[in-house]
Amino acid sequence: MSPRRTETGGCIDRLRTIRFTFDGAPYTGHIGDTLASALLANGVTLFGRSFKYHRPRGLLAAGVEEPNALVTVLRGEVREPNIPATMVEIYDGLVAVSQNRTPSLTWDIGAINQLGGKILSAGFYYKTFMGPVFGPLKGTRFWMFCEHFIRRAAGLGKAGTAPDPARYERMNAFCDVLVVGSGPAGLMAAKAAADQGARVILADLEAHFGGSANWSGETIDGMPAVDWAQRMAAQLAGNDNVRLLPRTTVWGYYDGNTLAALERVTDHKEVAAKGEPRQRYWAIRAGTVVLATGSFERPLVFPDNDRPGVMLAHAAERYVNEYGVLPGQRVALFTNNDSAYRSAVALKEAGAAVVAIIDVRSDVTNEMRRLASDAEAELLAGHAVVATEGGKALTGLKVQRFDAMSGSLSGDERSIHADSLLMSGGWSPTIHLASQAGAKAEWDPARQAFLPPKPTQRWIGAGAFTGSFSTAEAIAEGRAAGLQAAGGTASSGPLPVVEAAPGDSDPAPVFEIRAKGKSFVDFQHDVTAEDVRLAHREGFVSVEHLKRYTTLGMATDQGKNSNVPGLAIMAEALGKPIPEVGTTRFRPPYTAVSIGSLAAERFGDLKPERLTPMHDWHIANGARMYSAGLWYRPMIYGLPGETVEQAYVREARATRDSAGIVDVSTLGKIAVQGPDAAEFLDRVYTNMFSTLAVGKARYGLMLREDGLAFDDGTTWRLGEQEFLMTTTTANAGKVMQHLEYFLDVIWPELKVTVTSVTDEWAGAAIGGPNARAILAACVTGTAVDNATLPFMGIVHGRIAGVPVMICRLSFSGEMAFEVYSGAGYGTRVWEALIEAGKPFGLVTYGLEALGTMRIEKGHVTGAEIDGRTTARDLHLDWMLSKKKPFIGSAMMDREGLIAPDRLELVGLIALDNRALNGGGHIVEELDEANPHDSLGHITACCYSPALGKYIALALVKGGKARHGTRAFVSDPLRNRFGPVEIVSSHFYDPDGSRMHG
Amino acid sequence: MLITCPYCGPRDVIEFTYQGDGNRERPQPASQDLDAWNAYVYDRLNPAGDHNEIWQHSGGCRAHLRVVRNTITHEILSTAFARGGHKAEGRS
Ligand SMILES: [Zn+2]
């Protein structure tokens, strides 16, 4: 047994030894130990180096608020930095290392920063990283060189680079009552709510339920508080309507009483059980939340208060009572309130010598004097600690007379020999979650603390969280809160009886002892009281500015210890009372949250893949696919040795020479049905659909409400009250929502339903001079001649026995047909068409050839309908009906939308016979060094096999007026400059003789 | 944030798509009053407080809802079908 381990007491199992390493050295501990308690038991006092000055630091706390003892835990290749050693449960094989030291914890070259204390004061980063603005080092590389080392020196642990192999889980939970914190208040609340039949979740960030009961040394209902807590937890565990979540930090309180929690499922285990995730992210929707989150003890601010061996009083009590570890042999206490006297007695009972209790108050009650004598401690009332001594461990301290009213010191310094100094600066309720939920905390002058705000969401507070620091109050408030949260009113008999040490936790309003030396406010970010005053002298008056300038409270502990002392020092500097200085709002997360837990199962490529019915056929037949939105579509069906350009040119040429076929299943398809379907389409499209005959299709254009072009496509009239609308692939979802919005919100009187049927139909477009002959060879049940199937006509028939719907329409500019069949038969119909096409040399073509043929025809797509263009810009004004209003009709003729200098659709031909690029600008005068005065830009480009030239579509100022003129492409990003001719966008077969046949 | 769909009950906001300010009044389709159209398309109150909104239950029944939401607290005060009919009280 190590020298600091007590013979008995605590929640550890002395019979079971655990082996672990810290900074490479082997240590042992027991089940129930944290890394902090086990190392402390081994006599380790030095845990880390401070952030800025690399000062040696030991344990300040025993729980989640620990600012100094941050470690990195290694598991294989994975390193997790910045975990408080107080929150690491040891297990066999645990490997932990200290942080922020080079090369080792005990010998750290960064500690030289201490000598440059003046340089590294508040605002240091803002001031110095600008570099000297005058003097010999101005603008020299020397400062960049220094910056590299300063930045590396000022840091916390290093994140790893290895991929995290651990599994994380996300859970959604629902409950009537969520109890956060399992101290006496939380246990009572959970029990009371559970007894009412409510569904209860009880969460605590510690491994064991009980909170302060685990170390208070008090008696509840005649038994040690720790036993009472265990019995309560066991009773709760037996209830079907209670879920217990130990090791679970509730870290966020969001709208609608939704809370986020992180359960550390296997971090404390050597090996996870099968199927167990490392951590579990809980999204909890609670009817009512009981906040029983307790309180934090505050440090006092005095010179060298950060020396290893200086610790919070309750933390020492906790190490003794919960872990059986004495933090020191000769202990002194320094306090501004009564609670430290109980700690003194606990230390004494565990075997330490309590050499002195230094109390800033001169009037100490007789009860406290009695506790001091129980601890056999000398009581120095009206005194304060003005210095600590020692190197990497405390050896002694100096005290002086102190006047709590004026803050002045007097008399001679007296030295006291001690290896442990325990301090208590009063208590701050842990109001973080309530603050996150909304509303501002309120300052309570009696408790010298911020108390929780009035609830803006459905939560009820209980215990120390509300400022009721005694266990008896916590028990009463906890039960009342649990009852109220569960909607119960019945009193459930007498309350458990508490026997506790006397004392009033209300402190004297003393936060700082002003004497010579560095007095730390924020231990983790190395912010001193002098830094706060410096910030004030430099004009920072708002607490938010103070925080950012000094970085007070901005470390990973978020100022759990430092907020109130920092504010008090700021208030004193400003000469204002604390409530007028204000406090900052707490924001999630309460403690650090792993990114892995937030992602949980959702990592990697999360996009769903949409595949057409003929997808496998495309892959089997050599298609090179590319993704278009969520869809995968063939780009080319390349032959061995072909480039992409060679492939699409071959495919397009073969289509225009004989026939080609392309998969168009991705087009958006919406069934528009009902008595008012035609009327609805008249309102939605710019052109008329009520005049469309059954069995015919029409090309339609939609505008947005603001008059700009939205989407285009053909719509087929399948019956008097039934239409099949097609949309562009990219806009299918948007058009659907657009239609639903108007039917639901604007025109609910229209009897129309719209249904997305995109996935119900497989579509193949077959075009070219021989397309009709190929159809004739395989279609049964209908003729496909010009009389039966004229341009924009629709027929129903069969291919390979499968019912199909054929519409004669053309995107390629050839005589072309779209063949639709049920999606499940898509491949069968496709293969039958391919088979029928063999004698004609039918080619399959992909998106590249499709794009090439549409550019040759000057058809617009999303590249031109880009949210900025009007129908007129795209020369689609012929589609704007004057006989009826439609969506966008009132707004489309606004001044700016009909201005003569708008960009209009034109065609371009590269006069230097080189490829053009999308996005390249069009200019009148070429100036490669200083490109200027863009006339517009290229939207789509290709090599045109029909023209034998590189061509493009573009949006250019002046548009038609520039047809036949010369301009230049100016594309400095890709260094492409050269002459072009501006022409009509209808490059190929402008009168449409080929498609009309 | 939970929105109570009159069909589907209380559902997470992730299932809904915001479809704009519910205070917009669309002029009659044939109206030539450009000021009215301009107000409908562009003018928004953007209040700090209770706000009439249209939300589509796009990940559910796809109905459009009129929702009164407090833009400061995100409290949903009421929800109802945009096309009229049943009204569901919000969770307070
Ligand atoms: Zn719904």
Side-chain angles (χ1 to χ4, degrees):
Chain A
M1 198 79 66
S2 70
R4 291 198 173 213
R5 187 74 77 177
T6 58
E7 291 298 321
T8 56
C11 309
I12 51 159
D13 183 349
R14 286 178 176 74
L15 298 178
R16 297 188 48 197
T17 298
I18 286 172
R19 285 162 216 289
F20 65 96
T21 69
F22 178 62
D23 279 345
Y27 292 97
T28 61
H30 298 296
I31 286 188
D33 263 327
T34 63
L35 181 61
S37 68
L39 287 173
L40 196 61
N42 281 282
V44 174
T45 53
L46 181 60
F47 277 76
R49 288 278 175 175
S50 75
F51 181 67
K52 221 154 66 177
Y53 304 117
H54 286 240
R55 288 167 71 101
R57 290 282 168 82
L59 291 166
L60 179 74
V64 69
E65 76 273 32
E66 172 59 41
N68 290 335
L70 303 186
V71 299
T72 298
V73 171
L74 309 175
R75 275 199 194 243
E77 294 291 298
V78 179
R79 49 190 300 135
E80 182 166 20
N82 305 333
I83 317 176
T86 50
M87 296 304 286
V88 178
E89 290 174 65
I90 57 168
Y91 52 84
D92 270 316
L94 166 70
V95 179
V97 294
S98 62
Q99 303 182 159
N100 203 24
R101 80 288 189 271
T102 310
S104 78
L105 192 51
T106 45
W107 193 82
D108 177 70
I109 55 171
I112 202 156
N113 279 352
Q114 290 180 62
L115 304 176
K118 277 280 184 313
I119 299 174
L120 292 173
S121 58
F124 162 73
Y125 291 96
Y126 295 103
K127 289 171 189 163
T128 20
F129 283 4
M130 307 300 292
V133 290
F134 55 85
L137 296 177
K138 178 184 171 211
T140 62
R141 291 203 161 260
F142 176 73
W143 270 97
M144 294 164 73
F145 174 79
C146 290
E147 182 182 330
H148 171 73
F149 284 97
I150 296 167
R151 281 204 191 270
R152 201 176 64 170
L156 296 168
K158 262 190 298 196
T161 51
D164 183 356
R167 197 171 66 77
Y168 299 82
E169 238 174 46
R170 180 192 159 104
M171 289 284 276
N172 287 291
F174 303 85
C175 63
D176 301 314
V177 182
L178 167 66
V179 181
V180 187
S182 70
L187 288 171
M188 287 300 290
K191 177 85 165 54
D195 287 350
Q196 295 287 319
R199 293 176 304 162
V200 176
I201 294 177
L202 174 62
D204 196 296
L205 51 78
E206 298 277 353
H208 306 286
F209 292 111
S212 65
N214 290 336
W215 51 265
S216 67
E218 294 171 347
T219 301
I220 303 177
D221 268 353
M223 68 186 93
V226 57
D227 295 345
W228 174 85
Q230 272 185 22
R231 205 180 62 169
M232 288 284 283
Q235 280 175 10
L236 287 167
N239 285 5
D240 287 343
N241 54 336
V242 177
R243 186 196 286 277
L244 297 179
L245 294 177
R247 300 185 179 91
T248 302
T249 309
V250 178
W251 57 259
Y253 198 141
Y254 295 95
D255 305 322
N257 254 28
T258 304
L259 292 96
L262 181 71
E263 181 185 5
R264 300 180 305 281
V265 184
T266 58
D267 281 356
H268 62 294
K269 295 183 180 179
E270 188 183 357
V271 183
K274 193 167 188 291
E276 272 184 332
R278 178 185 169 219
Q279 295 176 342
R280 196 175 276 136
Y281 166 48
W282 289 85
I284 304 172
R285 295 190 180 284
T288 304
V289 180
V290 174
L291 294 174
T293 47
S295 57
F296 288 124
E297 193 169 24
R298 298 191 294 246
L300 286 162
V301 181
F302 56 93
D304 296 332
N305 59 344
D306 64 328
R307 197 177 303 285
V310 182
M311 187 184 280
L312 293 168
H314 90 280
E317 205 178 341
R318 195 171 164 192
Y319 283 116
V320 165
N321 286 343
E322 189 169 344
Y323 301 107
V325 181
L326 274 176
Q329 307 290 344
R330 284 180 60 84
V331 178
L333 289 99
F334 181 27
T335 186
N336 67 1
N337 70 90
D338 287 355
S339 67
Y341 289 78
R342 183 184 77 182
S343 307
V345 174
L347 269 288
K348 171 68 191 167
E349 283 174 359
V354 180
V355 293
I357 298 176
I358 301 120
D359 196 324
V360 297
R361 303 170 299 178
S362 49
D363 51 340
V364 175
T365 62
N366 287 333
E367 278 174 325
M368 292 306 110
R369 289 180 186 280
R370 203 155 36 241
L371 288 181
S373 70
D374 287 352
E376 293 174 25
E378 180 186 359
L379 175 61
L380 293 166
H383 278 70
V385 177
V386 295
T388 66
E389 291 165 338
K392 297 182 184 84
L394 187 80
T395 56
L397 47 119
K398 287 187 174 143
V399 301
Q400 242 181 315
R401 285 206 160 276
F402 177 75
D403 179 44
M405 294 302 292
S406 65
S408 62
L409 296 159
S410 60
D412 291 337
E413 286 184 358
R414 175 182 156 191
S415 290
I416 294 173
H417 172 54
D419 60 359
S420 181
L421 173 60
L422 312 180
M423 58 183 166
S424 179
W427 297 79
S428 293
T430 311
I431 58 173
H432 299 64
L433 291 176
S435 175
Q436 288 178 22
K440 224 174 168 178
E442 282 182 12
W443 179 255
D444 183 295
R447 289 176 177 78
Q448 291 286 301
F450 283 100
L451 296 191
K454 295 238 169 357
T456 50
Q457 296 209 48
R458 291 184 309 280
W459 61 260
I460 304 166
F465 162 84
T466 67
S468 303
F469 293 118
S470 80
T471 303
E473 289 171 298
I475 280 179
E477 287 184 8
R479 188 169 81 179
L483 271 174
Q484 192 192 334
T489 48
S491 145
S492 40
L495 286 162
V497 178
V498 181
E499 291 167 50
D504 179 355
S505 297
D506 288 356
V510 172
F511 296 91
E512 183 198 359
I513 311 304
R514 289 182 73 166
K516 193 173 173 330
K518 273 197 168 60
S519 305
F520 285 88
V521 181
D522 183 330
F523 289 75
Q524 199 182 114
H525 255 172
D526 263 5
V527 180
T528 65
E530 198 46 47
D531 286 334
V532 177
R533 280 188 281 274
L534 175 65
H536 166 251
R537 285 200 298 277
E538 295 191 355
F540 292 89
V541 292
S542 141
V543 59
E544 292 290 349
H545 292 162
L546 166 85
K547 193 171 142 176
R548 279 156 187 77
Y549 191 59
T550 61
T551 73
L552 174 79
M554 290 173 70
T556 64
D557 66 350
Q558 292 181 40
K560 290 184 174 69
N561 308 295
S562 61
N563 271 329
V564 170
L567 210 58
I569 292 164
M570 185 73 178
E572 203 205 350
L574 287 167
K576 282 183 182 175
I578 289 173
E580 278 179 38
V581 180
T583 183
T584 59
R585 272 271 287 278
F586 293 104
R587 297 183 199 290
Y590 172 64
T591 56
V593 171
S594 61
I595 301 283
S597 73
L598 296 177
E601 301 89 347
R602 299 164 298 174
F603 59 88
D605 188 0
L606 297 172
K607 276 192 318 183
E609 292 176 351
R610 297 187 78 180
L611 308 178
T612 74
M614 291 83 98
H615 181 83
D616 292 346
W617 191 95
H618 300 318
I619 300 290
N621 287 274
R624 190 195 294 187
M625 309 297 284
Y626 68 22
S627 66
L630 299 177
W631 287 103
Y632 283 81
R633 305 183 68 179
M635 175 168 100
I636 51 166
Y637 298 81
L639 300 176
E642 263 184 340
T643 65
V644 171
E645 184 175 298
Q646 286 166 343
Y648 79 70
V649 164
R650 173 182 52 76
E651 290 170 5
R653 186 173 283 141
T655 302
R656 296 217 190 279
D657 286 349
S658 176
I661 186 168
V662 62
D663 183 349
V664 293
S665 304
T666 62
L667 287 177
K669 293 173 279 288
I670 298 170
V672 182
Q673 295 158 308
D676 296 321
E679 166 67 20
F680 178 55
L681 293 179
D682 279 349
R683 298 187 190 186
V684 166
Y685 278 122
T686 63
N687 46 340
M688 281 293 208
F689 277 79
S690 52
T691 54
L692 183 64
V694 173
K696 294 282 274 182
R698 184 168 285 171
Y699 175 58
L701 174 70
M702 294 182 200
L703 306 186
R704 309 189 311 206
E705 285 277 35
D706 62 6
L708 294 170
F710 175 34
D711 198 59
D712 66 342
T714 58
T715 284
W716 313 7
R717 191 162 202 170
L718 303 178
E720 197 55 44
Q721 300 186 3
E722 186 179 1
F723 293 82
L724 178 66
M725 172 188 286
T726 67
T727 74
T728 58
T729 298
N731 276 341
K734 268 198 237 168
V735 171
M736 184 69 189
Q737 277 196 318
H738 178 75
L739 302 181
E740 287 174 321
Y741 178 83
F742 276 89
L743 284 174
D744 227 11
V745 181
I746 309 291
W747 303 312
E749 71 279 5
L750 290 184
K751 293 190 174 69
V752 181
T753 64
V754 289
T755 314
S756 170
V757 292
T758 302
D759 292 328
E760 269 63 31
W761 295 100
I766 182 166
N770 287 317
R772 196 205 299 268
I774 294 169
L775 279 188
C778 64
V779 173
T780 58
T782 178
V784 292
D785 61 277
N786 200 43
T788 317
L789 187 51
F791 186 62
M792 287 300 197
I794 301 165
V795 295
H796 295 266
R798 283 173 185 271
I799 293 178
V802 177
V804 294
M805 197 160 60
I806 303 170
C807 181
R808 184 178 148 197
L809 52 84
S810 177
F811 194 55
S812 58
E814 298 301 316
M815 164 81 69
F817 307 85
E818 284 189 5
V819 180
Y820 280 16
S821 65
Y825 290 95
T827 304
R828 181 163 168 168
V829 171
W830 175 268
E831 284 176 335
L833 285 165
I834 301 276
E835 193 59 33
K838 272 189 180 156
F840 300 92
L842 174 71
V843 294
T844 50
Y845 66 92
L847 277 189
E848 288 293 332
L850 181 89
T852 296
M853 288 188 277
R854 78 99 182 169
I855 293 169
E856 289 174 338
K857 284 297 293 178
H859 289 315
V860 293
T861 66
E864 292 81 29
I865 304 181
D866 63 359
R868 295 174 292 185
T869 47
T870 66
R872 292 181 214 286
D873 297 340
L874 304 173
H875 309 307
L876 296 173
D877 27 334
W878 60 274
M879 297 182 71
L880 304 173
S881 170
K882 293 189 173 61
K883 297 184 186 134
K884 52 145 194 169
F886 48 85
I887 293 171
S889 60
M891 298 291 272
M892 67 182 184
D893 290 332
R894 284 178 293 157
E895 202 178 336
L897 298 186
I898 54 172
D901 63 343
R902 288 187 63 79
L903 304 185
E904 283 177 39
L905 182 68
V906 297
L908 299 179
I909 295 171
L911 296 177
D912 56 5
N913 208 27
R914 288 163 56 211
L916 298 163
N917 297 312
H921 282 268
I922 307 304
V923 294
E924 272 178 350
E925 284 176 41
L926 201 54
D927 182 353
E928 296 187 16
N930 181 28
H932 57 88
D933 291 341
S934 170
L935 295 175
H937 59 273
I938 294 173
T939 57
C941 52
C942 67
Y943 177 77
S944 163
L947 277 68
K949 291 169 180 169
Y950 285 98
I951 62 171
L953 294 176
L955 294 166
V956 170
K957 272 181 205 167
K960 273 184 185 163
R962 292 185 186 270
H963 285 182
T965 69
R966 176 186 278 231
F968 298 90
V969 61
S970 173
D971 188 359
L973 280 181
R974 283 162 288 203
N975 202 28
R976 169 73 174 98
F977 303 92
V980 294
E981 184 185 355
I982 298 177
V983 297
S984 159
S985 54
H986 303 294
F987 292 96
Y988 180 69
D989 188 28
D991 57 1
S993 59
R994 293 179 69 90
M995 67 180 180
H996 287 103
Chain B
M1 208 164 99
L2 288 179
I3 297 176
T4 303
C5 171
Y7 275 137
C8 312
R11 312 295 302 174
D12 193 276
V13 69
I14 204 168
E15 295 183 8
F16 294 83
T17 308
Y18 182 56
Q19 291 290 43
D21 189 326
N23 298 304
R24 287 174 293 169
E25 271 194 50
R26 195 173 196 271
Q28 286 302 307
S31 166
Q32 292 298 312
D33 182 349
L34 259 189
D35 287 341
W37 279 105
N38 193 72
Y40 164 66
V41 173
Y42 294 111
D43 291 354
R44 300 290 180 267
L45 291 171
N46 192 25
D50 292 353
H51 188 219
N52 293 315
E53 301 176 338
I54 305 286
W55 288 79
Q56 186 186 18
H57 195 188
S58 46
C61 64
R62 295 193 73 85
H64 287 79
L65 311 178
R66 271 188 195 284
V67 174
V68 181
R69 181 180 69 101
N70 187 299
T71 57
I72 299 168
T73 63
H74 293 183
E75 183 185 0
I76 306 288
L77 295 139
S78 70
T79 58
F81 287 128
R83 57 165 54 224
H86 184 77
K87 186 176 166 129
E89 286 308 312
R91 293 160 57 97
S92 60

